[in-house]
Amino acid sequence: MAVREDAARPWTLAIRALAALVFIVLATLNSAGYRFGVGDQAFYLPAIQRHLEPESFPRDRILIDDQDRFNVFPRVAAALVRVVGIPQPALFLGLYVSALLLLCWAARALAAQLGLSPWGQIAVLAALTLKHRVGMTGANTLEGYGHPRMLAFAVGLAAVVWVLRGRPLAALALVAAAFVVHPTTALWCGAWAGVALVAADARLRPWLLAAGGGAVIVAAWAMAWGPLSAQLVRMDGAWLGVLEGKDYLFATEWPPDAWAMALLYAVVPAAAFAWRRRTGVACPREGAMLLGLAALVGIFLVTLPAVAGRVALAVQFQVSRIFWMLDVAGTVYAVWALADAGASRADAAARWRRSAAVACLLIGVAAARGAWVLWVEHPGRPVVQVSLPQDEWQDAMAWLRRQPASTHVLADPSHAWRHATSVRVAAGRDVYLEEVKDTAMAMYSRRVAMSVAERIGAIGDFNSLTPASARALAGRFGLDVLVTEQALDLPLAYRNARFSIYRLRPGG
């Protein structure tokens, strides 16, 4: 077929490089620029510091370590920093660029494997730069910082490409690599690629089924008697109260429009494949890929009762993130329908104009939206910020970093989003409460959730703190210093143009 012949034409190195560059630029603009030390790095950077400096975070190590138990990435990152000497800003910038480059390659390769024309492949890349939240999940399709989840997703998508190409060993190796980077994302990508392999490769099917059975047995052991057994409990009201507002965790409470979006995610790939198979343009292993997506939907539905019952492990796995895989598949199929569906050799010129028009339109939309996001919604923000910004907050944090590792800091609980980086990231010191991240990490441990709930209840309105109430908190929670923009009658330890750091107890 003409479309498949067009898709099979190799891209020159110059075209590949240009496409990757434009993809990275548009993705970065639509993510409101690249920044270091923000978002989920509020967990990863302290976790890396814990591996580099085991004595750090003497109070917050419970919160950090409870989430870090099954993560390999912080250990690998710490080893790279220690042995190779890579600075952490450079490490996460490399992670960010690597994830986007691999996502660009995997998405284009998937589109080519499904028979999209070269312009159609470009249109897919442009569409994928339009960052958005995946339905009602807690995941975005892109992040404006280096996140292991993004790299694991790109690796998983590349695994699916190798399934379609009939390279099972490469696909399995990529899934294994994804587990090192981000286990839960790798789990869903692995289910997608694994079911597709079982369906597509009769020769390996007995071995794959045996391996899958073994994995199920190991998983059952881990949940019943192994390291996950402590999480096979129901979350009580006190634990759930800390997670209030995390609507993405509980699919059984989604509003009707969220369920309509979930249904759309499932219907678009299925309908597109049915159309392609009826018109004879489906590729040989495409049905197997769709079975993998169907398996993900099945896993989501099967686990809903456990989520409704507030079983901690089911909530912590965030199974709703399987819609990320359906999102990217649906995007590829939607672009195919717009750019290439119904194409034939007889109208090659018309087909070329149509797919080129769709690609140019999506590039224009991505560029315009990216410019709006960065320069209108976030005026003054740099396109790329590879290290922590040099401002009054960072100056105060630099002073704190020079204090003993045991220093316990009281700051506005909303400081991380107000000032771009958290105390744990910028100062490397224990903090009384970082409300956004601490409530999210409380999902993984009831003892952490109870500690967070106690601290939220004890502090009340931060801006209403008085010297007496600040000292009372210090006595109750072992706080040493207070960082605030307010002028208070407390011993001053450090001051810059915006922030004052007060001592809360003798020797603090």
Side-chain angles (χ1 to χ4, degrees):
M1 293 205 149
V3 173
R4 196 166 299 285
E5 290 170 3
D6 288 343
R9 292 175 185 169
W11 288 26
T12 65
L13 181 60
I15 292 177
R16 290 174 187 269
L18 179 61
L21 177 62
V22 173
F23 180 82
I24 291 174
V25 170
L26 292 180
T28 302
L29 292 177
N30 278 276
S31 300
Y34 169 83
R35 293 186 295 164
F36 171 73
V38 302
D40 283 352
Q41 289 182 6
F43 158 70
Y44 284 104
L45 288 169
I48 292 170
Q49 182 176 330
R50 285 277 297 123
H51 293 292
L52 292 171
E53 305 169 14
E55 74 283 356
S56 62
F57 301 110
R59 295 175 180 84
D60 290 343
R61 64 181 51 175
I62 293 175
L63 179 145
I64 297 167
D65 293 353
D66 271 359
Q67 185 173 350
D68 191 39
R69 282 178 299 167
F70 304 114
N71 278 295
V72 178
F73 174 81
R75 294 166 174 78
V76 173
L80 289 172
V81 172
R82 183 190 305 110
V83 177
V84 184
I86 300 176
Q88 292 189 49
L91 176 68
F92 278 91
L93 178 61
L95 174 69
Y96 176 79
V97 173
S98 298
L100 288 182
L101 285 174
L102 185 54
L103 180 61
C104 176
W105 177 88
R108 190 201 68 80
L110 176 62
Q113 200 66 34
L114 295 178
L116 274 73
S117 65
W119 277 114
Q121 297 166 36
I122 292 173
V124 166
L125 296 181
L128 291 179
T129 66
L130 297 170
K131 175 187 174 180
H132 58 274
R133 182 182 179 184
V134 180
M136 282 291 290
T137 71
N140 297 312
T141 56
L142 296 170
E143 298 292 356
Y145 57 94
H147 197 315
R149 182 176 67 222
M150 286 301 308
L151 180 58
F153 179 78
V155 172
L157 189 61
V160 174
V161 171
W162 288 115
V163 171
L164 290 175
R165 291 181 173 180
R167 300 286 297 277
L169 294 182
L172 292 172
L174 286 171
V175 169
F179 270 98
V180 175
V181 182
H182 196 268
T184 53
T185 301
L187 179 63
W188 310 132
C189 289
W192 183 12
V195 172
L197 270 178
V198 169
D201 201 317
R203 180 175 55 87
L204 290 177
R205 190 172 299 148
W207 298 100
L208 292 170
L209 289 173
V216 170
I217 292 173
V218 170
W221 168 82
M223 290 187 288
W225 302 284
L228 299 178
S229 59
Q231 306 303 317
L232 209 60
V233 296
R234 294 187 65 178
M235 293 175 155
D236 57 23
W239 192 350
L240 292 169
V242 180
L243 303 179
E244 187 177 358
K246 310 292 184 185
D247 54 356
Y248 56 86
L249 293 176
F250 307 106
T252 51
E253 295 183 0
W254 287 355
D257 60 330
W259 278 104
M261 177 61 72
L263 180 62
L264 187 64
Y265 275 132
V267 166
V268 168
F273 173 65
W275 181 8
R276 286 165 58 83
R277 186 170 57 178
R278 187 173 63 252
T279 55
V281 299
C283 70
R285 293 171 171 251
E286 189 173 343
M289 184 187 78
L290 267 291
L291 282 177
L293 291 175
L296 292 178
V297 175
I299 293 170
F300 171 73
L301 295 175
V302 166
T303 56
L304 278 179
V307 174
R310 302 301 188 256
V311 176
L313 189 62
V315 175
Q316 292 160 358
F317 269 127
Q318 301 185 63
V319 186
S320 60
R321 289 188 176 180
I322 62 100
F323 289 107
W324 192 6
M325 292 79 209
L326 278 85
D327 183 284
V328 72
T331 299
V332 174
Y333 279 126
V335 169
W336 167 80
L338 291 171
D340 291 323
S344 65
R345 185 184 297 274
D347 58 350
R351 182 183 69 250
W352 187 92
R353 288 194 298 269
R354 174 182 157 195
S355 59
V358 170
C360 291
L361 175 63
L362 286 173
I363 292 171
V365 169
R369 181 177 181 268
W372 176 271
V373 168
L374 185 59
W375 291 303
V376 178
E377 292 185 350
H378 300 89
R381 179 179 291 184
V383 178
V384 177
Q385 182 180 291
V386 298
S387 59
L388 297 176
Q390 299 303 307
D391 55 18
E392 291 89 350
W393 174 255
Q394 298 303 328
D395 175 71
M397 296 301 101
W399 184 88
L400 287 171
R401 188 175 281 277
R402 295 192 294 271
Q403 307 313 302
S406 61
T407 301
H408 197 189
V409 181
L410 174 61
D412 186 336
S414 61
H415 66 272
W417 68 264
R418 286 183 181 277
H419 309 307
T421 54
S422 72
V423 170
R424 294 189 191 104
V425 169
R429 296 293 178 263
D430 290 316
V431 67
Y432 172 82
L433 182 66
E434 199 272 269
E435 195 164 7
V436 173
K437 196 60 191 171
D438 290 3
T439 54
M441 290 196 286
M443 170 178 61
Y444 298 100
S445 169
R446 188 184 187 280
R447 63 174 177 173
V448 168
M450 294 303 94
S451 174
V452 171
E454 180 186 13
R455 291 169 184 242
I456 291 175
I459 194 170
D461 180 9
F462 177 81
N463 293 320
S464 299
L465 278 179
T466 65
S469 61
R471 287 194 180 100
L473 281 175
R476 180 176 172 183
F477 294 99
L479 299 166
D480 297 305
V481 295
L482 165 65
V483 182
T484 180
E485 296 180 71
Q486 301 178 65
L488 296 174
D489 186 17
L490 289 167
L492 183 67
Y494 183 76
R495 174 177 289 164
N496 60 34
R498 184 176 176 185
F499 295 97
S500 297
I501 301 179
Y502 298 104
R503 299 191 186 278
L504 293 177
R505 55 181 182 163

